Amino acid sequence: MFRISKGRDLDREADLVRLWSNAAIPLNEIEPELALACEQKSEFWVNPDNWSSEEIQRFGIKLEDVSAAYRQLAVPKMKVAHRGFKNA
């Protein structure tokens, strides 16, 4: 099972449930897969001890994974025009 540090802060975990759920709502219109990841991240924080490392990996809800998906949405890869500059 996934282990979090001792001294859990249940108020903070409740905030994380709310924040991840709130993030999913507008994302559902533009990126349903990312919205689903946010919902699953919210479910994780309802009871983190119920999630195994394998489940976290399988659902793609590691913070790094969700952050990477958000960055791709927020800053799409742009094609850069290559210019040929001659040495002067």
Side-chain angles (χ1 to χ4, degrees):
M1 295 296 285
F2 177 75
R3 302 285 182 232
I4 60 175
S5 64
K6 294 181 181 179
R8 289 175 54 178
D9 184 338
L10 297 180
D11 289 333
R12 179 160 292 198
E13 290 178 20
D15 286 341
L16 288 168
V17 169
R18 182 182 49 80
L19 292 168
W20 282 111
S21 289
N22 288 345
I25 295 168
L27 284 171
N28 197 46
E29 295 295 318
I30 55 175
E31 186 59 46
E33 286 185 35
L34 183 54
L36 180 58
C38 291
E39 279 296 326
Q40 291 170 329
K41 191 75 173 170
S42 175
E43 287 295 319
F44 166 84
W45 283 109
V46 170
N47 194 343
D49 293 329
N50 284 347
W51 289 73
S52 68
S53 296
E54 292 80 20
E55 288 174 313
I56 292 167
Q57 182 74 28
R58 185 174 68 240
F59 285 104
I61 61 169
K62 287 178 24 182
L63 185 56
E64 297 84 11
D65 295 338
V66 178
S67 293
Y70 171 76
R71 281 191 305 276
Q72 285 182 337
L73 178 64
V75 184
K77 294 180 181 176
M78 296 174 33
K79 292 184 180 179
V80 178
H82 294 283
R83 298 181 185 174
F85 292 101
K86 294 183 180 180
N87 291 336

XYZ file of all heavy atoms in Angstrom:
714
model
N 0.835 -1.185 0.000
C 0.000 0.000 0.000
C 0.874 1.242 0.000
O 1.979 1.226 0.497
C -0.897 0.033 1.246
C -1.922 -1.073 1.341
S -3.147 -1.054 0.056
C -4.168 0.283 0.570
N 0.328 2.313 -0.547
C 1.011 3.600 -0.539
C 1.020 4.124 0.879
O 0.015 4.095 1.572
C 0.266 4.572 -1.468
C 0.842 5.941 -1.492
C 2.023 6.185 -2.169
C 0.213 6.979 -0.843
C 2.551 7.446 -2.197
C 0.741 8.244 -0.864
C 1.914 8.484 -1.552
N 2.134 4.598 1.308
C 2.258 5.112 2.669
C 2.537 6.601 2.632
O 3.377 7.054 1.860
C 3.404 4.422 3.414
C 3.249 2.928 3.490
C 2.180 2.547 4.504
N 2.105 1.099 4.562
C 0.976 0.431 4.435
N -0.139 1.046 4.242
N 0.970 -0.881 4.509
N 1.821 7.339 3.450
C 2.118 8.750 3.586
C 2.763 8.956 4.940
O 2.741 8.076 5.787
C 0.860 9.633 3.414
C -0.204 9.293 4.448
C 0.298 9.480 2.023
C -1.400 10.202 4.396
N 3.331 10.114 5.128
C 4.083 10.352 6.349
C 3.173 10.316 7.572
O 1.972 10.545 7.485
C 4.790 11.704 6.262
O 3.841 12.741 6.183
N 3.793 10.034 8.709
C 3.055 10.034 9.966
C 2.599 11.455 10.253
O 3.127 12.413 9.736
C 3.943 9.523 11.092
C 4.316 8.062 10.936
C 5.183 7.599 12.077
C 5.557 6.139 11.864
N 6.407 5.631 12.918
N 1.622 11.565 11.101
C 1.120 12.886 11.445
C 0.232 13.459 10.356
O 0.387 14.598 9.960
N -0.672 12.660 9.839
C -1.581 13.111 8.794
C -2.373 14.317 9.262
O -2.742 14.431 10.418
C -2.535 11.989 8.406
C -1.848 10.885 7.650
C -2.731 9.723 7.357
N -3.959 10.107 6.682
C -4.879 9.241 6.284
N -4.702 7.958 6.501
N -5.961 9.644 5.692
N -2.652 15.197 8.336
C -3.439 16.391 8.598
C -4.780 16.218 7.883
O -4.894 16.464 6.677
C -2.690 17.621 8.095
C -3.394 18.921 8.421
O -4.622 18.910 8.658
O -2.705 19.957 8.428
N -5.788 15.762 8.615
C -7.079 15.444 8.000
C -7.763 16.676 7.414
O -8.462 16.572 6.401
C -7.982 14.747 9.010
C -7.472 13.388 9.507
C -8.449 12.784 10.518
C -7.238 12.430 8.358
N -7.546 17.841 8.028
C -8.118 19.072 7.460
C -7.491 19.380 6.107
O -8.181 19.750 5.158
C -7.927 20.254 8.406
C -8.810 20.164 9.647
O -9.885 19.526 9.567
O -8.416 20.724 10.683
N -6.185 19.214 6.019
C -5.497 19.459 4.751
C -5.941 18.436 3.709
O -6.136 18.770 2.544
C -3.993 19.398 4.933
C -3.273 19.636 3.597
C -1.888 20.045 3.782
N -1.887 21.367 4.382
C -0.861 22.181 4.378
N 0.250 21.802 3.810
N -0.914 23.351 4.941
N -6.096 17.191 4.120
C -6.559 16.167 3.182
C -7.962 16.486 2.677
O -8.249 16.308 1.487
C -6.504 14.792 3.837
C -5.077 14.298 4.046
C -4.995 12.956 4.737
O -5.983 12.199 4.737
O -3.904 12.651 5.274
N -8.823 16.983 3.550
C -10.177 17.376 3.131
C -10.108 18.532 2.134
O -10.874 18.566 1.157
C -11.018 17.751 4.344
N -9.193 19.465 2.366
C -9.001 20.565 1.416
C -8.550 20.028 0.064
O -9.012 20.495 -0.982
C -7.965 21.570 1.934
C -8.494 22.439 3.054
O -9.726 22.541 3.222
O -7.653 23.035 3.764
N -7.650 19.060 0.074
C -7.172 18.483 -1.179
C -8.289 17.767 -1.929
O -8.375 17.855 -3.163
C -6.008 17.531 -0.912
C -4.705 18.235 -0.508
C -3.701 17.222 0.025
C -4.125 19.018 -1.666
N -9.161 17.089 -1.208
C -10.326 16.453 -1.846
C -11.145 17.510 -2.575
O -11.484 17.362 -3.753
C -11.203 15.711 -0.805
C -12.529 15.287 -1.416
C -10.464 14.520 -0.226
N -11.428 18.585 -1.875
C -12.251 19.663 -2.451
C -11.548 20.325 -3.638
O -12.159 20.532 -4.695
C -12.560 20.706 -1.366
C -13.433 21.850 -1.824
C -13.664 22.868 -0.711
N -12.452 23.300 -0.036
C -11.599 24.214 -0.514
N -11.823 24.778 -1.676
N -10.526 24.552 0.175
N -10.266 20.623 -3.498
C -9.538 21.315 -4.561
C -9.406 20.472 -5.824
O -9.598 20.976 -6.941
C -8.162 21.752 -4.049
C -8.200 22.852 -2.992
C -6.825 23.010 -2.344
C -8.678 24.162 -3.594
N -9.083 19.185 -5.650
C -8.976 18.317 -6.831
C -10.334 18.153 -7.507
O -10.419 18.147 -8.742
C -8.371 16.965 -6.470
C -6.887 17.014 -6.303
C -6.189 16.875 -5.134
C -5.904 17.215 -7.324
N -4.833 16.973 -5.373
C -4.635 17.187 -6.705
C -5.973 17.413 -8.696
C -3.450 17.351 -7.422
C -4.784 17.575 -9.407
C -3.553 17.547 -8.769
N -11.397 18.034 -6.717
C -12.748 17.928 -7.299
C -13.117 19.201 -8.047
O -13.670 19.153 -9.146
C -13.784 17.663 -6.213
O -13.646 16.364 -5.714
N -12.809 20.336 -7.451
C -13.108 21.622 -8.096
C -12.315 21.802 -9.384
O -12.815 22.382 -10.350
C -12.840 22.787 -7.147
C -13.868 22.893 -6.045
O -14.938 22.290 -6.105
N -13.549 23.647 -5.017
N -11.092 21.323 -9.415
C -10.277 21.434 -10.619
C -10.866 20.597 -11.755
O -10.767 20.974 -12.930
C -8.849 20.991 -10.332
N -11.485 19.490 -11.417
C -12.018 18.591 -12.438
C -13.205 19.191 -13.187
O -13.395 18.900 -14.372
C -12.433 17.263 -11.798
N -13.973 20.024 -12.531
C -15.218 20.524 -13.134
C -14.970 21.284 -14.440
O -15.508 20.897 -15.485
C -16.017 21.357 -12.113
C -16.476 20.445 -10.972
C -17.209 22.050 -12.774
C -17.015 21.179 -9.758
N -14.170 22.360 -14.447
C -13.974 23.063 -15.721
C -13.134 22.257 -16.723
O -13.312 22.397 -17.935
C -13.265 24.364 -15.326
C -12.618 24.074 -14.015
C -13.503 23.051 -13.349
N -12.250 21.411 -16.227
C -11.428 20.614 -17.130
C -12.251 19.616 -17.928
O -11.863 19.236 -19.031
C -10.340 19.875 -16.346
C -9.171 20.722 -15.890
C -8.276 19.917 -14.949
C -8.372 21.224 -17.086
N -13.366 19.197 -17.390
C -14.197 18.207 -18.074
C -14.643 18.696 -19.450
O -14.798 17.899 -20.369
C -15.402 17.829 -17.219
C -16.036 16.558 -17.700
O -15.358 15.578 -17.975
N -17.350 16.581 -17.817
N -14.801 19.996 -19.595
C -15.231 20.559 -20.877
C -14.118 20.573 -21.917
O -14.395 20.501 -23.103
C -15.745 21.990 -20.671
C -16.991 22.083 -19.825
C -18.184 21.421 -20.484
O -18.360 21.593 -21.715
O -18.946 20.742 -19.775
N -12.863 20.692 -21.465
C -11.777 20.853 -22.434
C -10.822 19.656 -22.505
O -10.191 19.450 -23.525
C -10.977 22.142 -22.161
C -10.453 22.178 -20.728
C -11.807 23.364 -22.449
C -9.553 23.345 -20.415
N -10.737 18.906 -21.424
C -9.824 17.746 -21.394
C -10.371 16.698 -20.433
O -9.956 16.625 -19.274
C -8.426 18.198 -20.984
C -7.372 17.128 -21.056
C -7.220 16.548 -22.455
O -7.157 17.319 -23.433
O -7.164 15.315 -22.565
N -11.329 15.888 -20.903
C -11.987 14.917 -20.020
C -11.038 13.942 -19.321
O -11.280 13.578 -18.172
C -12.948 14.177 -20.953
C -13.195 15.115 -22.081
C -11.918 15.893 -22.244
N -9.962 13.536 -19.977
C -9.031 12.593 -19.335
C -8.324 13.231 -18.149
O -8.144 12.599 -17.113
C -8.010 12.074 -20.343
C -8.604 11.071 -21.308
C -7.551 10.486 -22.224
O -6.401 10.301 -21.785
O -7.893 10.210 -23.383
N -7.936 14.491 -18.296
C -7.303 15.194 -17.186
C -8.309 15.442 -16.070
O -7.980 15.330 -14.895
C -6.677 16.505 -17.662
C -5.922 17.323 -16.629
C -4.845 16.501 -15.923
C -5.321 18.564 -17.287
N -9.544 15.728 -16.433
C -10.604 15.898 -15.434
C -10.796 14.610 -14.636
O -10.931 14.647 -13.409
C -11.912 16.308 -16.103
N -10.774 13.481 -15.322
C -10.918 12.195 -14.647
C -9.746 11.960 -13.695
O -9.934 11.481 -12.566
C -11.017 11.063 -15.659
C -11.182 9.659 -15.086
C -12.425 9.554 -14.215
C -11.217 8.633 -16.207
N -8.544 12.303 -14.119
C -7.372 12.155 -13.243
C -7.536 13.019 -11.992
O -7.201 12.580 -10.885
C -6.096 12.522 -13.987
N -8.061 14.222 -12.148
C -8.294 15.092 -10.986
C -9.339 14.491 -10.050
O -9.183 14.542 -8.827
C -8.725 16.487 -11.431
S -7.412 17.431 -12.234
N -10.387 13.922 -10.621
C -11.404 13.263 -9.794
C -10.809 12.081 -9.044
O -11.090 11.862 -7.872
C -12.586 12.804 -10.649
C -13.573 13.888 -10.967
C -14.272 14.423 -9.726
O -14.524 13.674 -8.763
O -14.558 15.630 -9.724
N -9.990 11.304 -9.723
C -9.358 10.164 -9.076
C -8.371 10.619 -8.008
O -8.236 9.982 -6.970
C -8.698 9.267 -10.118
C -9.721 8.560 -10.973
C -9.121 7.851 -12.162
O -8.113 8.269 -12.716
N -9.776 6.778 -12.579
N -7.697 11.727 -8.262
C -6.785 12.287 -7.264
C -7.591 12.715 -6.037
O -7.167 12.509 -4.900
C -6.033 13.472 -7.874
C -4.893 13.979 -7.066
C -3.704 13.050 -7.164
C -2.512 13.672 -6.473
N -1.415 12.734 -6.338
N -8.772 13.266 -6.254
C -9.661 13.625 -5.158
C -10.064 12.384 -4.365
O -10.024 12.386 -3.130
C -10.904 14.327 -5.713
O -11.827 14.572 -4.685
N -10.415 11.327 -5.088
C -10.785 10.076 -4.424
C -9.615 9.515 -3.615
O -9.809 8.962 -2.540
C -11.252 9.041 -5.452
C -12.607 9.334 -6.038
C -13.705 9.268 -4.993
O -13.683 8.364 -4.131
O -14.594 10.139 -5.047
N -8.412 9.666 -4.142
C -7.234 9.224 -3.411
C -7.177 9.899 -2.043
O -6.938 9.250 -1.026
C -5.964 9.539 -4.215
C -4.705 9.434 -3.406
C -4.089 8.206 -3.221
C -4.138 10.556 -2.807
C -2.929 8.097 -2.457
C -2.980 10.455 -2.058
C -2.375 9.232 -1.881
N -7.404 11.216 -2.008
C -7.273 11.954 -0.751
C -8.418 11.690 0.217
O -8.311 12.029 1.389
C -7.095 13.448 -1.012
C -5.702 13.727 -1.459
C -5.297 14.097 -2.712
C -4.515 13.591 -0.676
N -3.935 14.209 -2.743
C -3.426 13.906 -1.505
C -4.267 13.239 0.647
C -2.117 13.886 -1.051
C -2.957 13.215 1.097
C -1.905 13.539 0.254
N -9.504 11.063 -0.248
C -10.565 10.659 0.686
C -10.008 9.656 1.678
O -10.283 9.720 2.871
C -11.782 10.083 -0.070
C -12.763 9.435 0.888
C -12.465 11.187 -0.875
N -9.182 8.717 1.173
C -8.536 7.744 2.052
C -7.269 7.234 1.377
O -7.289 6.188 0.719
C -9.469 6.590 2.392
C -8.943 5.781 3.550
O -7.759 5.861 3.899
N -9.803 4.989 4.147
N -6.153 7.955 1.543
C -4.918 7.583 0.854
C -4.412 6.187 1.175
O -3.761 5.561 0.336
C -3.910 8.632 1.330
C -4.686 9.698 1.989
C -6.015 9.134 2.357
N -4.722 5.683 2.356
C -4.230 4.365 2.744
C -4.852 3.234 1.943
O -4.349 2.112 1.955
C -4.461 4.126 4.240
C -3.605 5.044 5.097
O -2.494 5.406 4.662
O -4.057 5.408 6.199
N -5.948 3.503 1.238
C -6.617 2.475 0.441
C -6.013 2.304 -0.947
O -6.442 1.442 -1.692
C -8.108 2.782 0.302
C -8.868 2.462 1.577
O -8.363 1.803 2.471
N -10.088 2.957 1.653
N -5.059 3.140 -1.305
C -4.479 3.105 -2.643
C -3.092 2.481 -2.601
O -2.241 2.892 -1.825
C -4.376 4.517 -3.208
C -5.700 5.107 -3.570
C -6.653 5.550 -2.699
C -6.209 5.319 -4.868
N -7.723 6.025 -3.395
C -7.488 5.900 -4.730
C -5.706 5.076 -6.137
C -8.266 6.238 -5.825
C -6.494 5.425 -7.229
C -7.751 5.993 -7.072
N -2.863 1.537 -3.472
C -1.525 0.944 -3.591
C -0.703 1.788 -4.571
O -1.249 2.539 -5.386
C -1.619 -0.491 -4.107
O -2.053 -0.507 -5.452
N 0.587 1.622 -4.507
C 1.479 2.310 -5.451
C 1.147 1.912 -6.886
O 1.202 2.740 -7.795
C 2.936 1.967 -5.144
O 3.287 2.456 -3.874
N 0.777 0.657 -7.071
C 0.424 0.174 -8.407
C -0.831 0.872 -8.929
O -0.910 1.226 -10.104
C 0.220 -1.345 -8.400
C 1.492 -2.131 -8.152
C 1.884 -2.193 -6.667
O 1.032 -1.975 -5.766
O 3.080 -2.427 -6.405
N -1.822 1.057 -8.061
C -3.044 1.751 -8.479
C -2.756 3.206 -8.831
O -3.277 3.729 -9.818
C -4.105 1.689 -7.378
C -4.709 0.324 -7.199
C -5.645 0.270 -6.005
O -5.277 0.753 -4.912
O -6.757 -0.252 -6.189
N -1.943 3.841 -8.024
C -1.582 5.235 -8.285
C -0.899 5.344 -9.644
O -1.220 6.233 -10.445
C -0.684 5.776 -7.154
C -1.501 5.881 -5.863
C -0.083 7.121 -7.526
C -0.663 6.096 -4.621
N -0.008 4.431 -9.922
C 0.686 4.407 -11.213
C -0.293 4.113 -12.342
O -0.297 4.793 -13.364
C 1.797 3.349 -11.176
C 2.608 3.274 -12.434
C 3.558 4.439 -12.568
O 4.003 5.005 -11.575
N 3.860 4.808 -13.782
N -1.130 3.101 -12.169
C -2.064 2.670 -13.212
C -3.057 3.769 -13.565
O -3.381 3.988 -14.738
C -2.796 1.401 -12.782
C -3.696 0.835 -13.879
C -4.319 -0.498 -13.525
N -5.291 -0.363 -12.456
C -5.216 -0.970 -11.269
N -4.216 -1.771 -10.995
N -6.148 -0.801 -10.359
N -3.546 4.491 -12.573
C -4.521 5.548 -12.819
C -3.866 6.867 -13.239
O -4.557 7.815 -13.589
C -5.403 5.772 -11.587
C -6.428 4.695 -11.391
C -6.255 3.724 -10.427
C -7.564 4.645 -12.179
C -7.189 2.724 -10.239
C -8.510 3.656 -12.004
C -8.326 2.682 -11.041
N -2.541 6.925 -13.191
C -1.837 8.128 -13.618
C -2.087 9.323 -12.725
O -2.186 10.447 -13.207
N -2.190 9.075 -11.407
C -2.515 10.176 -10.501
C -1.343 10.599 -9.624
O -1.540 11.362 -8.677
C -3.754 9.868 -9.637
C -3.538 8.650 -8.750
C -4.987 9.710 -10.510
C -4.617 8.461 -7.698
N -0.150 10.146 -9.980
C 1.008 10.707 -9.288
C 1.022 12.197 -9.612
O 0.678 12.606 -10.725
C 2.305 10.050 -9.773
C 2.489 8.646 -9.287
C 3.735 7.960 -9.784
C 4.853 8.865 -10.198
N 6.024 8.145 -10.706
N 1.402 13.011 -8.665
C 1.405 14.454 -8.873
C 2.197 14.830 -10.118
O 1.781 15.697 -10.894
C 1.939 15.173 -7.636
C 1.876 16.693 -7.677
C 0.456 17.192 -7.931
C 2.410 17.271 -6.378
N 3.319 14.161 -10.334
C 4.137 14.447 -11.507
C 3.376 14.182 -12.800
O 3.495 14.927 -13.770
C 5.429 13.611 -11.488
C 6.349 13.916 -10.331
C 5.988 13.155 -9.049
O 5.143 12.232 -9.091
O 6.546 13.501 -8.003
N 2.581 13.114 -12.822
C 1.814 12.765 -14.018
C 0.717 13.791 -14.293
O 0.519 14.225 -15.428
C 1.190 11.377 -13.881
C 2.223 10.266 -13.792
O 3.374 10.474 -14.236
O 1.884 9.194 -13.262
N -0.006 14.163 -13.245
C -1.089 15.131 -13.409
C -0.515 16.495 -13.794
O -1.050 17.184 -14.671
C -1.956 15.216 -12.127
C -3.050 16.257 -12.278
C -2.563 13.852 -11.808
N 0.592 16.875 -13.179
C 1.231 18.153 -13.508
C 1.698 18.182 -14.958
O 1.536 19.185 -15.655
C 2.424 18.409 -12.589
O 1.996 18.600 -11.273
N 2.272 17.086 -15.421
C 2.738 17.015 -16.805
C 1.571 17.135 -17.779
O 1.659 17.847 -18.789
C 3.504 15.719 -17.045
N 0.463 16.487 -17.482
C -0.723 16.569 -18.338
C -1.266 17.998 -18.365
O -1.659 18.504 -19.419
C -1.800 15.599 -17.849
N -1.250 18.659 -17.222
C -1.706 20.048 -17.162
C -0.787 20.954 -17.980
O -1.252 21.802 -18.738
C -1.783 20.542 -15.717
C -2.028 22.028 -15.658
C -3.288 22.537 -15.922
C -0.989 22.915 -15.387
C -3.516 23.897 -15.911
C -1.212 24.279 -15.374
C -2.472 24.763 -15.633
O -2.691 26.111 -15.634
N 0.521 20.768 -17.830
C 1.469 21.605 -18.577
C 1.278 21.438 -20.081
O 1.354 22.414 -20.831
C 2.907 21.279 -18.184
C 3.319 21.923 -16.878
C 4.818 21.820 -16.639
N 5.341 20.466 -16.692
C 5.319 19.612 -15.669
N 4.817 19.975 -14.511
N 5.805 18.399 -15.803
N 1.013 20.222 -20.521
C 0.773 20.000 -21.952
C -0.473 20.727 -22.410
O -0.523 21.232 -23.531
C 0.643 18.512 -22.255
C 1.961 17.783 -22.230
C 1.807 16.319 -22.578
O 0.734 15.743 -22.430
N 2.875 15.707 -23.024
N -1.468 20.788 -21.569
C -2.702 21.490 -21.905
C -2.495 23.001 -21.874
O -2.939 23.714 -22.768
C -3.811 21.096 -20.919
C -5.156 21.775 -21.094
C -5.771 21.391 -22.432
C -6.080 21.384 -19.956
N -1.792 23.477 -20.866
C -1.614 24.913 -20.673
C -0.643 25.520 -21.679
O -0.821 26.657 -22.116
C -1.136 25.196 -19.252
N 0.389 24.785 -22.031
C 1.410 25.289 -22.946
C 1.632 24.244 -24.026
O 2.563 23.449 -23.944
C 2.731 25.590 -22.198
C 3.750 26.210 -23.144
C 2.491 26.471 -20.991
N 0.752 24.242 -25.020
C 0.917 23.231 -26.070
C 2.232 23.446 -26.813
O 2.744 24.558 -26.896
C -0.280 23.455 -26.985
C -0.804 24.796 -26.653
C -0.344 25.135 -25.262
N 2.743 22.360 -27.323
C 3.995 22.445 -28.082
C 3.739 23.269 -29.339
O 2.792 23.030 -30.071
C 4.504 21.054 -28.438
C 4.902 20.261 -27.229
C 5.404 18.901 -27.616
C 5.778 18.130 -26.363
N 6.187 16.782 -26.662
N 4.577 24.240 -29.528
C 4.439 25.095 -30.699
C 5.537 24.753 -31.694
O 6.662 24.442 -31.313
C 4.541 26.563 -30.282
C 3.420 26.980 -29.364
S 3.552 28.655 -28.681
C 4.329 29.592 -29.917
N 5.184 24.807 -32.931
C 6.189 24.584 -33.961
C 7.009 25.863 -34.062
O 6.480 26.959 -34.203
C 5.533 24.263 -35.299
C 4.832 22.921 -35.308
C 4.284 22.614 -36.669
C 3.603 21.270 -36.643
N 3.021 20.932 -37.936
N 8.282 25.692 -33.978
C 9.184 26.829 -34.055
C 9.738 26.897 -35.478
O 10.261 25.916 -35.995
C 10.338 26.690 -33.028
C 11.302 27.853 -33.135
C 9.779 26.572 -31.627
N 9.601 28.060 -36.061
C 10.133 28.236 -37.392
C 11.649 28.321 -37.311
O 12.190 29.094 -36.537
C 9.556 29.515 -38.025
N 12.301 27.489 -38.075
C 13.761 27.513 -38.085
C 14.226 28.455 -39.186
O 13.777 28.359 -40.317
C 14.315 26.102 -38.337
C 14.020 25.157 -37.210
N 14.727 25.174 -36.047
C 13.067 24.192 -37.093
C 14.237 24.251 -35.231
N 13.226 23.637 -35.844
N 15.076 29.358 -38.826
C 15.603 30.312 -39.792
C 17.072 30.003 -40.027
O 17.807 29.741 -39.088
C 15.466 31.743 -39.283
C 14.028 32.126 -39.064
C 13.943 33.528 -38.589
N 12.548 33.833 -38.270
C 12.165 34.946 -37.725
N 13.035 35.873 -37.400
N 10.882 35.167 -37.489
N 17.448 30.045 -41.230
C 18.846 29.824 -41.560
C 19.616 31.131 -41.493
O 19.401 32.010 -42.303
N 20.450 31.277 -40.505
C 21.268 32.478 -40.383
C 22.677 32.134 -40.850
O 23.258 31.146 -40.421
C 21.303 32.985 -38.931
C 19.987 33.515 -38.452
C 19.170 32.746 -37.644
C 19.561 34.783 -38.834
C 17.960 33.231 -37.196
C 18.341 35.268 -38.395
C 17.534 34.507 -37.572
N 23.197 32.998 -41.688
C 24.565 32.806 -42.155
C 25.507 33.569 -41.254
O 25.171 34.637 -40.745
C 24.712 33.292 -43.598
C 23.920 32.457 -44.580
C 24.150 32.941 -45.982
C 23.339 32.087 -46.938
N 23.529 32.509 -48.324
N 26.658 33.019 -41.038
C 27.660 33.738 -40.241
C 28.096 34.966 -41.004
O 28.403 34.901 -42.186
C 28.879 32.839 -39.964
C 28.512 31.708 -39.026
O 27.565 31.821 -38.258
N 29.273 30.632 -39.085
N 28.146 36.078 -40.359
C 28.540 37.327 -41.013
C 29.999 37.577 -40.861
O 30.654 37.205 -39.971
C 27.748 38.490 -40.441
